[in-house]
Structure formats: structure tokens, C-alpha cells
Amino acid sequence: MGVLTFNLAVLGWTGNAFYFSRFLVQWLLSERERRTVAPKSFWWLSALGALALGTYAFLKPDRPLFVGYVLTFAIYLRNISIAHLGPRAGRIGVGPSIAIAVGLAVLAIYTGAMPRKDVPLPQVWTTVGFVGQAIFSSRFVVQWFFTERSGEAHFPRVFWWLSLVGNTLLLTYACRLQDPIFIAGFALGPVVQVRNLMLSSRERMAAAG
């Protein structure tokens, strides 16, 4: 294994460590509260994970996953500001976050045109990757909308459904790539997503009386 390959692997596994730990923290706190919660640490770990895995996907290169990481990174930053500033974050406005998201989207589309270094995947698998990433990334767009409306970072129930569907497609895509870093990154997601859906259902039943 060359030095570059080794460093790339370390970067990928480090990103996975951030991504796994964010949901581990969120899961444990949700179990303690008996409802789904969005702790501040979740957004910091998400941003660090997206930065590391986005760089990994860029260097691979893998277009579908790279696009998703750069777009969600901007949303993580916005949630960090809301989590720390609360109502005061509204004074900052969504303008900077939208500007970052648009800028990263342009960067993702422009650099996404780069050719793969290995044998190109059949078009159907590239489509699966983009569709899965679109669904997976849309969960944070939805979450962002609900957060801006309420002024508090939280996870609506639809967030977990979008997570589950998108995660399943991306796990299938990662298995086709035979990339252990991407496979590990998506393998445990469904467990956390299903559990949060169960907690959400319990919370709704309790609220209904």
C-alpha cells in the first residue's frame, strides 16, 4: 500500500468515525430522553465527518457521494449556528447558508465532471448512486426547513424515513463499488434510523394520550 493510498484510507476511516460517533451520541441521548433529540455535538461531528468523507470521495473520485457530502456540509454549518445561538441565529438569516450551499453545489457539479480513475460503473449503478444520494441529502434539506421554521434544531419523522430509503440505496451502491470505507459508512445507518422511527412512534402515541 502506497503512502497516498494509506493516507486516503486514514482520511476515509476518520470520516466514518465522526459519522458513526454522531449517531451513537444521538442514539444514546435519545434513548435516555425516550424521544428523538438533536444534540449540538451531532452537528459538529457531522460537519467534521462530511469534510473528511467529502475529501475522500473527491480524491477517489466518486461523483454521487462527493456531491452529497458538500451539499450537506453547508446544512450542518447552519444547524451549528442554530444549535448554539438559538433564536439569535434568525438574525443572521439563511443567506450565508444558502450562499455556501449554492457555491458548494457549483463546485460539486464542476468537479463532478472529472473522470473516474478506475473502470467506469455501468450507468444504472451511477443512477442508483445519484438517486440514493439525492434522497439521502434531501433529509437534511427537509430537516433544515423544519428547523428554520421552529428556530430549534430537531429531527422531524420524515427525516428518518428519507434516511432509511437513501441509506439503503447508498449501501447497495457502496457494495457494488466494493469500497470498504463507504460500505462501513452506510452499514449501521438502518439500525439507528429504524430505532429512531420507533422512538418517534412512541413519542407520538404518548402525545396522543
PDB file of all heavy atoms in Angstrom, residues 139-172:
ATOM      1  N   ARG A 139     -32.962  14.626   3.104  1.00  0.00           N
ATOM      2  CA  ARG A 139     -33.396  14.534   4.503  1.00  0.00           C
ATOM      3  C   ARG A 139     -32.937  15.749   5.286  1.00  0.00           C
ATOM      4  O   ARG A 139     -33.658  16.260   6.141  1.00  0.00           O
ATOM      5  CB  ARG A 139     -32.847  13.251   5.138  1.00  0.00           C
ATOM      6  CG  ARG A 139     -31.337  13.248   5.264  1.00  0.00           C
ATOM      7  CD  ARG A 139     -30.781  11.919   5.697  1.00  0.00           C
ATOM      8  NE  ARG A 139     -29.321  12.004   5.785  1.00  0.00           N
ATOM      9  CZ  ARG A 139     -28.605  11.402   6.711  1.00  0.00           C
ATOM     10  NH1 ARG A 139     -29.185  10.664   7.636  1.00  0.00           N
ATOM     11  NH2 ARG A 139     -27.291  11.505   6.726  1.00  0.00           N
ATOM     12  N   PHE A 140     -31.730  16.236   5.002  1.00  0.00           N
ATOM     13  CA  PHE A 140     -31.233  17.392   5.728  1.00  0.00           C
ATOM     14  C   PHE A 140     -31.793  18.693   5.172  1.00  0.00           C
ATOM     15  O   PHE A 140     -31.853  19.697   5.884  1.00  0.00           O
ATOM     16  CB  PHE A 140     -29.704  17.418   5.727  1.00  0.00           C
ATOM     17  CG  PHE A 140     -29.110  16.560   6.811  1.00  0.00           C
ATOM     18  CD1 PHE A 140     -28.408  15.414   6.501  1.00  0.00           C
ATOM     19  CD2 PHE A 140     -29.300  16.884   8.148  1.00  0.00           C
ATOM     20  CE1 PHE A 140     -27.877  14.614   7.498  1.00  0.00           C
ATOM     21  CE2 PHE A 140     -28.769  16.089   9.158  1.00  0.00           C
ATOM     22  CZ  PHE A 140     -28.057  14.953   8.834  1.00  0.00           C
ATOM     23  N   VAL A 141     -32.221  18.685   3.914  1.00  0.00           N
ATOM     24  CA  VAL A 141     -32.933  19.848   3.385  1.00  0.00           C
ATOM     25  C   VAL A 141     -34.269  19.981   4.094  1.00  0.00           C
ATOM     26  O   VAL A 141     -34.681  21.069   4.518  1.00  0.00           O
ATOM     27  CB  VAL A 141     -33.137  19.724   1.862  1.00  0.00           C
ATOM     28  CG1 VAL A 141     -33.985  20.881   1.346  1.00  0.00           C
ATOM     29  CG2 VAL A 141     -31.798  19.683   1.140  1.00  0.00           C
ATOM     30  N   VAL A 142     -34.968  18.840   4.258  1.00  0.00           N
ATOM     31  CA  VAL A 142     -36.245  18.818   4.983  1.00  0.00           C
ATOM     32  C   VAL A 142     -36.027  19.217   6.441  1.00  0.00           C
ATOM     33  O   VAL A 142     -36.776  20.019   7.009  1.00  0.00           O
ATOM     34  CB  VAL A 142     -36.888  17.416   4.884  1.00  0.00           C
ATOM     35  CG1 VAL A 142     -38.098  17.322   5.812  1.00  0.00           C
ATOM     36  CG2 VAL A 142     -37.294  17.112   3.451  1.00  0.00           C
ATOM     37  N   GLN A 143     -34.985  18.637   7.044  1.00  0.00           N
ATOM     38  CA  GLN A 143     -34.680  18.951   8.442  1.00  0.00           C
ATOM     39  C   GLN A 143     -34.356  20.433   8.598  1.00  0.00           C
ATOM     40  O   GLN A 143     -34.769  21.081   9.565  1.00  0.00           O
ATOM     41  CB  GLN A 143     -33.496  18.089   8.904  1.00  0.00           C
ATOM     42  CG  GLN A 143     -33.133  18.245  10.369  1.00  0.00           C
ATOM     43  CD  GLN A 143     -32.168  19.392  10.616  1.00  0.00           C
ATOM     44  OE1 GLN A 143     -31.411  19.790   9.743  1.00  0.00           O
ATOM     45  NE2 GLN A 143     -32.208  19.922  11.823  1.00  0.00           N
ATOM     46  N   TRP A 144     -33.638  20.979   7.636  1.00  0.00           N
ATOM     47  CA  TRP A 144     -33.277  22.396   7.646  1.00  0.00           C
ATOM     48  C   TRP A 144     -34.535  23.262   7.592  1.00  0.00           C
ATOM     49  O   TRP A 144     -34.678  24.231   8.339  1.00  0.00           O
ATOM     50  CB  TRP A 144     -32.366  22.681   6.457  1.00  0.00           C
ATOM     51  CG  TRP A 144     -31.787  24.055   6.395  1.00  0.00           C
ATOM     52  CD1 TRP A 144     -31.799  25.014   7.365  1.00  0.00           C
ATOM     53  CD2 TRP A 144     -31.090  24.624   5.290  1.00  0.00           C
ATOM     54  NE1 TRP A 144     -31.153  26.146   6.943  1.00  0.00           N
ATOM     55  CE2 TRP A 144     -30.706  25.932   5.670  1.00  0.00           C
ATOM     56  CE3 TRP A 144     -30.749  24.165   4.026  1.00  0.00           C
ATOM     57  CZ2 TRP A 144     -29.999  26.773   4.822  1.00  0.00           C
ATOM     58  CZ3 TRP A 144     -30.043  25.009   3.183  1.00  0.00           C
ATOM     59  CH2 TRP A 144     -29.678  26.291   3.583  1.00  0.00           C
ATOM     60  N   PHE A 145     -35.485  22.889   6.739  1.00  0.00           N
ATOM     61  CA  PHE A 145     -36.731  23.637   6.616  1.00  0.00           C
ATOM     62  C   PHE A 145     -37.493  23.665   7.937  1.00  0.00           C
ATOM     63  O   PHE A 145     -37.933  24.725   8.398  1.00  0.00           O
ATOM     64  CB  PHE A 145     -37.605  23.019   5.520  1.00  0.00           C
ATOM     65  CG  PHE A 145     -38.999  23.574   5.463  1.00  0.00           C
ATOM     66  CD1 PHE A 145     -39.254  24.799   4.869  1.00  0.00           C
ATOM     67  CD2 PHE A 145     -40.072  22.871   6.013  1.00  0.00           C
ATOM     68  CE1 PHE A 145     -40.542  25.319   4.821  1.00  0.00           C
ATOM     69  CE2 PHE A 145     -41.358  23.376   5.971  1.00  0.00           C
ATOM     70  CZ  PHE A 145     -41.589  24.609   5.376  1.00  0.00           C
ATOM     71  N   PHE A 146     -37.641  22.497   8.558  1.00  0.00           N
ATOM     72  CA  PHE A 146     -38.374  22.430   9.818  1.00  0.00           C
ATOM     73  C   PHE A 146     -37.631  23.165  10.934  1.00  0.00           C
ATOM     74  O   PHE A 146     -38.252  23.758  11.816  1.00  0.00           O
ATOM     75  CB  PHE A 146     -38.599  20.962  10.215  1.00  0.00           C
ATOM     76  CG  PHE A 146     -39.765  20.324   9.525  1.00  0.00           C
ATOM     77  CD1 PHE A 146     -39.584  19.593   8.357  1.00  0.00           C
ATOM     78  CD2 PHE A 146     -41.052  20.448  10.017  1.00  0.00           C
ATOM     79  CE1 PHE A 146     -40.650  19.012   7.702  1.00  0.00           C
ATOM     80  CE2 PHE A 146     -42.135  19.863   9.382  1.00  0.00           C
ATOM     81  CZ  PHE A 146     -41.941  19.150   8.215  1.00  0.00           C
ATOM     82  N   THR A 147     -36.303  23.109  10.893  1.00  0.00           N
ATOM     83  CA  THR A 147     -35.508  23.795  11.895  1.00  0.00           C
ATOM     84  C   THR A 147     -35.632  25.307  11.767  1.00  0.00           C
ATOM     85  O   THR A 147     -35.785  26.022  12.763  1.00  0.00           O
ATOM     86  CB  THR A 147     -34.030  23.376  11.782  1.00  0.00           C
ATOM     87  OG1 THR A 147     -33.903  21.992  12.144  1.00  0.00           O
ATOM     88  CG2 THR A 147     -33.145  24.208  12.704  1.00  0.00           C
ATOM     89  N   GLU A 148     -35.584  25.812  10.528  1.00  0.00           N
ATOM     90  CA  GLU A 148     -35.726  27.248  10.314  1.00  0.00           C
ATOM     91  C   GLU A 148     -37.112  27.727  10.760  1.00  0.00           C
ATOM     92  O   GLU A 148     -37.262  28.813  11.309  1.00  0.00           O
ATOM     93  CB  GLU A 148     -35.522  27.590   8.833  1.00  0.00           C
ATOM     94  CG  GLU A 148     -34.100  27.378   8.325  1.00  0.00           C
ATOM     95  CD  GLU A 148     -33.125  28.392   8.874  1.00  0.00           C
ATOM     96  OE1 GLU A 148     -33.566  29.378   9.494  1.00  0.00           O
ATOM     97  OE2 GLU A 148     -31.904  28.203   8.699  1.00  0.00           O
ATOM     98  N   ARG A 149     -38.123  26.885  10.522  1.00  0.00           N
ATOM     99  CA  ARG A 149     -39.492  27.259  10.880  1.00  0.00           C
ATOM    100  C   ARG A 149     -39.701  27.295  12.385  1.00  0.00           C
ATOM    101  O   ARG A 149     -40.410  28.164  12.903  1.00  0.00           O
ATOM    102  CB  ARG A 149     -40.490  26.289  10.233  1.00  0.00           C
ATOM    103  CG  ARG A 149     -41.933  26.761  10.344  1.00  0.00           C
ATOM    104  CD  ARG A 149     -42.855  25.874   9.538  1.00  0.00           C
ATOM    105  NE  ARG A 149     -42.965  24.529  10.086  1.00  0.00           N
ATOM    106  CZ  ARG A 149     -43.776  23.587   9.623  1.00  0.00           C
ATOM    107  NH1 ARG A 149     -44.540  23.850   8.568  1.00  0.00           N
ATOM    108  NH2 ARG A 149     -43.822  22.398  10.154  1.00  0.00           N
ATOM    109  N   SER A 150     -39.056  26.358  13.086  1.00  0.00           N
ATOM    110  CA  SER A 150     -39.253  26.286  14.539  1.00  0.00           C
ATOM    111  C   SER A 150     -38.189  27.056  15.314  1.00  0.00           C
ATOM    112  O   SER A 150     -38.387  27.386  16.482  1.00  0.00           O
ATOM    113  CB  SER A 150     -39.249  24.830  15.005  1.00  0.00           C
ATOM    114  OG  SER A 150     -37.966  24.249  14.808  1.00  0.00           O
ATOM    115  N   GLY A 151     -37.053  27.349  14.655  1.00  0.00           N
ATOM    116  CA  GLY A 151     -35.976  28.051  15.349  1.00  0.00           C
ATOM    117  C   GLY A 151     -35.190  27.160  16.281  1.00  0.00           C
ATOM    118  O   GLY A 151     -34.406  27.630  17.101  1.00  0.00           O
ATOM    119  N   GLU A 152     -35.378  25.846  16.164  1.00  0.00           N
ATOM    120  CA  GLU A 152     -34.686  24.881  17.027  1.00  0.00           C
ATOM    121  C   GLU A 152     -34.283  23.671  16.197  1.00  0.00           C
ATOM    122  O   GLU A 152     -35.091  23.137  15.427  1.00  0.00           O
ATOM    123  CB  GLU A 152     -35.604  24.436  18.169  1.00  0.00           C
ATOM    124  CG  GLU A 152     -34.979  23.404  19.086  1.00  0.00           C
ATOM    125  CD  GLU A 152     -35.955  22.926  20.143  1.00  0.00           C
ATOM    126  OE1 GLU A 152     -37.124  23.352  20.112  1.00  0.00           O
ATOM    127  OE2 GLU A 152     -35.543  22.108  20.984  1.00  0.00           O
ATOM    128  N   ALA A 153     -33.026  23.258  16.322  1.00  0.00           N
ATOM    129  CA  ALA A 153     -32.544  22.103  15.564  1.00  0.00           C
ATOM    130  C   ALA A 153     -33.198  20.828  16.092  1.00  0.00           C
ATOM    131  O   ALA A 153     -33.070  20.489  17.273  1.00  0.00           O
ATOM    132  CB  ALA A 153     -31.022  22.002  15.675  1.00  0.00           C
ATOM    133  N   HIS A 154     -33.918  20.125  15.234  1.00  0.00           N
ATOM    134  CA  HIS A 154     -34.539  18.864  15.619  1.00  0.00           C
ATOM    135  C   HIS A 154     -34.764  18.010  14.378  1.00  0.00           C
ATOM    136  O   HIS A 154     -34.546  18.465  13.254  1.00  0.00           O
ATOM    137  CB  HIS A 154     -35.872  19.121  16.339  1.00  0.00           C
ATOM    138  CG  HIS A 154     -36.958  19.621  15.440  1.00  0.00           C
ATOM    139  ND1 HIS A 154     -36.951  20.899  14.905  1.00  0.00           N
ATOM    140  CD2 HIS A 154     -38.085  19.017  14.955  1.00  0.00           C
ATOM    141  CE1 HIS A 154     -38.027  21.065  14.145  1.00  0.00           C
ATOM    142  NE2 HIS A 154     -38.725  19.941  14.155  1.00  0.00           N
ATOM    143  N   PHE A 155     -35.198  16.757  14.591  1.00  0.00           N
ATOM    144  CA  PHE A 155     -35.413  15.814  13.502  1.00  0.00           C
ATOM    145  C   PHE A 155     -36.896  15.494  13.353  1.00  0.00           C
ATOM    146  O   PHE A 155     -37.474  14.848  14.218  1.00  0.00           O
ATOM    147  CB  PHE A 155     -34.662  14.497  13.754  1.00  0.00           C
ATOM    148  CG  PHE A 155     -33.175  14.656  13.876  1.00  0.00           C
ATOM    149  CD1 PHE A 155     -32.529  14.376  15.077  1.00  0.00           C
ATOM    150  CD2 PHE A 155     -32.424  15.078  12.794  1.00  0.00           C
ATOM    151  CE1 PHE A 155     -31.157  14.518  15.193  1.00  0.00           C
ATOM    152  CE2 PHE A 155     -31.046  15.227  12.907  1.00  0.00           C
ATOM    153  CZ  PHE A 155     -30.414  14.950  14.101  1.00  0.00           C
ATOM    154  N   PRO A 156     -37.521  15.926  12.263  1.00  0.00           N
ATOM    155  CA  PRO A 156     -38.912  15.515  12.013  1.00  0.00           C
ATOM    156  C   PRO A 156     -38.939  14.031  11.627  1.00  0.00           C
ATOM    157  O   PRO A 156     -37.920  13.467  11.215  1.00  0.00           O
ATOM    158  CB  PRO A 156     -39.331  16.412  10.842  1.00  0.00           C
ATOM    159  CG  PRO A 156     -38.060  16.711  10.125  1.00  0.00           C
ATOM    160  CD  PRO A 156     -37.008  16.819  11.197  1.00  0.00           C
ATOM    161  N   ARG A 157     -40.098  13.430  11.729  1.00  0.00           N
ATOM    162  CA  ARG A 157     -40.213  11.991  11.454  1.00  0.00           C
ATOM    163  C   ARG A 157     -39.823  11.650  10.016  1.00  0.00           C
ATOM    164  O   ARG A 157     -39.187  10.623   9.761  1.00  0.00           O
ATOM    165  CB  ARG A 157     -41.655  11.541  11.736  1.00  0.00           C
ATOM    166  CG  ARG A 157     -41.879  10.039  11.566  1.00  0.00           C
ATOM    167  CD  ARG A 157     -43.288   9.667  11.991  1.00  0.00           C
ATOM    168  NE  ARG A 157     -43.593   8.279  11.696  1.00  0.00           N
ATOM    169  CZ  ARG A 157     -43.223   7.249  12.457  1.00  0.00           C
ATOM    170  NH1 ARG A 157     -42.521   7.478  13.559  1.00  0.00           N
ATOM    171  NH2 ARG A 157     -43.534   6.012  12.134  1.00  0.00           N
ATOM    172  N   VAL A 158     -40.171  12.522   9.079  1.00  0.00           N
ATOM    173  CA  VAL A 158     -39.852  12.263   7.675  1.00  0.00           C
ATOM    174  C   VAL A 158     -38.342  12.194   7.468  1.00  0.00           C
ATOM    175  O   VAL A 158     -37.869  11.532   6.539  1.00  0.00           O
ATOM    176  CB  VAL A 158     -40.479  13.343   6.763  1.00  0.00           C
ATOM    177  CG1 VAL A 158     -39.836  14.700   7.005  1.00  0.00           C
ATOM    178  CG2 VAL A 158     -40.356  12.956   5.292  1.00  0.00           C
ATOM    179  N   PHE A 159     -37.563  12.850   8.316  1.00  0.00           N
ATOM    180  CA  PHE A 159     -36.100  12.801   8.229  1.00  0.00           C
ATOM    181  C   PHE A 159     -35.618  11.364   8.292  1.00  0.00           C
ATOM    182  O   PHE A 159     -34.735  10.949   7.521  1.00  0.00           O
ATOM    183  CB  PHE A 159     -35.490  13.623   9.371  1.00  0.00           C
ATOM    184  CG  PHE A 159     -33.990  13.483   9.505  1.00  0.00           C
ATOM    185  CD1 PHE A 159     -33.144  14.328   8.818  1.00  0.00           C
ATOM    186  CD2 PHE A 159     -33.439  12.509  10.329  1.00  0.00           C
ATOM    187  CE1 PHE A 159     -31.761  14.208   8.939  1.00  0.00           C
ATOM    188  CE2 PHE A 159     -32.064  12.374  10.460  1.00  0.00           C
ATOM    189  CZ  PHE A 159     -31.226  13.221   9.766  1.00  0.00           C
ATOM    190  N   TRP A 160     -36.194  10.591   9.219  1.00  0.00           N
ATOM    191  CA  TRP A 160     -35.730   9.208   9.401  1.00  0.00           C
ATOM    192  C   TRP A 160     -36.179   8.307   8.262  1.00  0.00           C
ATOM    193  O   TRP A 160     -35.468   7.368   7.886  1.00  0.00           O
ATOM    194  CB  TRP A 160     -36.199   8.690  10.760  1.00  0.00           C
ATOM    195  CG  TRP A 160     -35.647   9.485  11.893  1.00  0.00           C
ATOM    196  CD1 TRP A 160     -36.333  10.315  12.744  1.00  0.00           C
ATOM    197  CD2 TRP A 160     -34.277   9.579  12.285  1.00  0.00           C
ATOM    198  NE1 TRP A 160     -35.483  10.912  13.632  1.00  0.00           N
ATOM    199  CE2 TRP A 160     -34.211  10.482  13.388  1.00  0.00           C
ATOM    200  CE3 TRP A 160     -33.102   8.992  11.819  1.00  0.00           C
ATOM    201  CZ2 TRP A 160     -33.012  10.791  14.012  1.00  0.00           C
ATOM    202  CZ3 TRP A 160     -31.903   9.311  12.446  1.00  0.00           C
ATOM    203  CH2 TRP A 160     -31.869  10.199  13.523  1.00  0.00           C
ATOM    204  N   TRP A 161     -37.357   8.579   7.677  1.00  0.00           N
ATOM    205  CA  TRP A 161     -37.792   7.785   6.531  1.00  0.00           C
ATOM    206  C   TRP A 161     -36.907   8.048   5.312  1.00  0.00           C
ATOM    207  O   TRP A 161     -36.508   7.113   4.605  1.00  0.00           O
ATOM    208  CB  TRP A 161     -39.259   8.084   6.200  1.00  0.00           C
ATOM    209  CG  TRP A 161     -40.238   7.365   7.075  1.00  0.00           C
ATOM    210  CD1 TRP A 161     -41.090   7.908   8.000  1.00  0.00           C
ATOM    211  CD2 TRP A 161     -40.472   5.947   7.126  1.00  0.00           C
ATOM    212  NE1 TRP A 161     -41.838   6.934   8.629  1.00  0.00           N
ATOM    213  CE2 TRP A 161     -41.481   5.711   8.104  1.00  0.00           C
ATOM    214  CE3 TRP A 161     -39.928   4.855   6.449  1.00  0.00           C
ATOM    215  CZ2 TRP A 161     -41.939   4.439   8.414  1.00  0.00           C
ATOM    216  CZ3 TRP A 161     -40.392   3.569   6.766  1.00  0.00           C
ATOM    217  CH2 TRP A 161     -41.386   3.382   7.731  1.00  0.00           C
ATOM    218  N   LEU A 162     -36.601   9.299   5.055  1.00  0.00           N
ATOM    219  CA  LEU A 162     -35.696   9.637   3.947  1.00  0.00           C
ATOM    220  C   LEU A 162     -34.311   9.048   4.198  1.00  0.00           C
ATOM    221  O   LEU A 162     -33.649   8.574   3.259  1.00  0.00           O
ATOM    222  CB  LEU A 162     -35.603  11.151   3.788  1.00  0.00           C
ATOM    223  CG  LEU A 162     -36.859  11.858   3.277  1.00  0.00           C
ATOM    224  CD1 LEU A 162     -36.699  13.376   3.389  1.00  0.00           C
ATOM    225  CD2 LEU A 162     -37.161  11.461   1.835  1.00  0.00           C
ATOM    226  N   SER A 163     -33.880   9.067   5.451  1.00  0.00           N
ATOM    227  CA  SER A 163     -32.580   8.489   5.803  1.00  0.00           C
ATOM    228  C   SER A 163     -32.539   6.998   5.495  1.00  0.00           C
ATOM    229  O   SER A 163     -31.567   6.491   4.931  1.00  0.00           O
ATOM    230  CB  SER A 163     -32.284   8.713   7.298  1.00  0.00           C
ATOM    231  OG  SER A 163     -32.193  10.079   7.596  1.00  0.00           O
ATOM    232  N   LEU A 164     -33.616   6.312   5.865  1.00  0.00           N
ATOM    233  CA  LEU A 164     -33.660   4.857   5.696  1.00  0.00           C
ATOM    234  C   LEU A 164     -33.648   4.465   4.214  1.00  0.00           C
ATOM    235  O   LEU A 164     -32.885   3.576   3.799  1.00  0.00           O
ATOM    236  CB  LEU A 164     -34.900   4.291   6.381  1.00  0.00           C
ATOM    237  CG  LEU A 164     -35.069   2.768   6.351  1.00  0.00           C
ATOM    238  CD1 LEU A 164     -33.883   2.085   7.002  1.00  0.00           C
ATOM    239  CD2 LEU A 164     -36.369   2.368   7.041  1.00  0.00           C
ATOM    240  N   VAL A 165     -34.471   5.137   3.413  1.00  0.00           N
ATOM    241  CA  VAL A 165     -34.537   4.812   1.972  1.00  0.00           C
ATOM    242  C   VAL A 165     -33.226   5.172   1.283  1.00  0.00           C
ATOM    243  O   VAL A 165     -32.648   4.366   0.534  1.00  0.00           O
ATOM    244  CB  VAL A 165     -35.718   5.550   1.315  1.00  0.00           C
ATOM    245  CG1 VAL A 165     -35.694   5.321  -0.200  1.00  0.00           C
ATOM    246  CG2 VAL A 165     -37.043   5.072   1.889  1.00  0.00           C
ATOM    247  N   GLY A 166     -32.730   6.391   1.529  1.00  0.00           N
ATOM    248  CA  GLY A 166     -31.491   6.820   0.896  1.00  0.00           C
ATOM    249  C   GLY A 166     -30.304   5.991   1.332  1.00  0.00           C
ATOM    250  O   GLY A 166     -29.449   5.616   0.518  1.00  0.00           O
ATOM    251  N   ASN A 167     -30.238   5.678   2.621  1.00  0.00           N
ATOM    252  CA  ASN A 167     -29.146   4.871   3.161  1.00  0.00           C
ATOM    253  C   ASN A 167     -29.117   3.490   2.522  1.00  0.00           C
ATOM    254  O   ASN A 167     -28.053   2.964   2.179  1.00  0.00           O
ATOM    255  CB  ASN A 167     -29.307   4.746   4.678  1.00  0.00           C
ATOM    256  CG  ASN A 167     -28.039   4.277   5.367  1.00  0.00           C
ATOM    257  OD1 ASN A 167     -27.657   4.782   6.417  1.00  0.00           O
ATOM    258  ND2 ASN A 167     -27.350   3.305   4.789  1.00  0.00           N
ATOM    259  N   THR A 168     -30.284   2.881   2.356  1.00  0.00           N
ATOM    260  CA  THR A 168     -30.355   1.547   1.757  1.00  0.00           C
ATOM    261  C   THR A 168     -29.841   1.555   0.319  1.00  0.00           C
ATOM    262  O   THR A 168     -29.079   0.665  -0.088  1.00  0.00           O
ATOM    263  CB  THR A 168     -31.803   1.028   1.790  1.00  0.00           C
ATOM    264  OG1 THR A 168     -32.265   0.981   3.149  1.00  0.00           O
ATOM    265  CG2 THR A 168     -31.892  -0.369   1.188  1.00  0.00           C
ATOM    266  N   LEU A 169     -30.236   2.563  -0.455  1.00  0.00           N
ATOM    267  CA  LEU A 169     -29.754   2.674  -1.832  1.00  0.00           C
ATOM    268  C   LEU A 169     -28.241   2.909  -1.876  1.00  0.00           C
ATOM    269  O   LEU A 169     -27.529   2.304  -2.698  1.00  0.00           O
ATOM    270  CB  LEU A 169     -30.476   3.807  -2.555  1.00  0.00           C
ATOM    271  CG  LEU A 169     -31.947   3.566  -2.915  1.00  0.00           C
ATOM    272  CD1 LEU A 169     -32.567   4.835  -3.487  1.00  0.00           C
ATOM    273  CD2 LEU A 169     -32.068   2.419  -3.914  1.00  0.00           C
ATOM    274  N   LEU A 170     -27.743   3.762  -0.997  1.00  0.00           N
ATOM    275  CA  LEU A 170     -26.314   4.051  -0.989  1.00  0.00           C
ATOM    276  C   LEU A 170     -25.492   2.868  -0.484  1.00  0.00           C
ATOM    277  O   LEU A 170     -24.357   2.660  -0.922  1.00  0.00           O
ATOM    278  CB  LEU A 170     -26.036   5.295  -0.139  1.00  0.00           C
ATOM    279  CG  LEU A 170     -26.463   6.617  -0.787  1.00  0.00           C
ATOM    280  CD1 LEU A 170     -26.251   7.765   0.185  1.00  0.00           C
ATOM    281  CD2 LEU A 170     -25.697   6.858  -2.077  1.00  0.00           C
ATOM    282  N   LEU A 171     -26.051   2.096   0.425  1.00  0.00           N
ATOM    283  CA  LEU A 171     -25.358   0.892   0.876  1.00  0.00           C
ATOM    284  C   LEU A 171     -25.239  -0.108  -0.275  1.00  0.00           C
ATOM    285  O   LEU A 171     -24.184  -0.743  -0.464  1.00  0.00           O
ATOM    286  CB  LEU A 171     -26.101   0.263   2.059  1.00  0.00           C
ATOM    287  CG  LEU A 171     -25.519  -1.048   2.605  1.00  0.00           C
ATOM    288  CD1 LEU A 171     -24.080  -0.840   3.052  1.00  0.00           C
ATOM    289  CD2 LEU A 171     -26.370  -1.559   3.765  1.00  0.00           C
ATOM    290  N   THR A 172     -26.312  -0.225  -1.060  1.00  0.00           N
ATOM    291  CA  THR A 172     -26.273  -1.093  -2.232  1.00  0.00           C
ATOM    292  C   THR A 172     -25.226  -0.609  -3.227  1.00  0.00           C
ATOM    293  O   THR A 172     -24.452  -1.391  -3.789  1.00  0.00           O
ATOM    294  CB  THR A 172     -27.654  -1.123  -2.917  1.00  0.00           C
ATOM    295  OG1 THR A 172     -28.643  -1.540  -1.970  1.00  0.00           O
ATOM    296  CG2 THR A 172     -27.658  -2.088  -4.096  1.00  0.00           C
TER     297      THR A 172
END
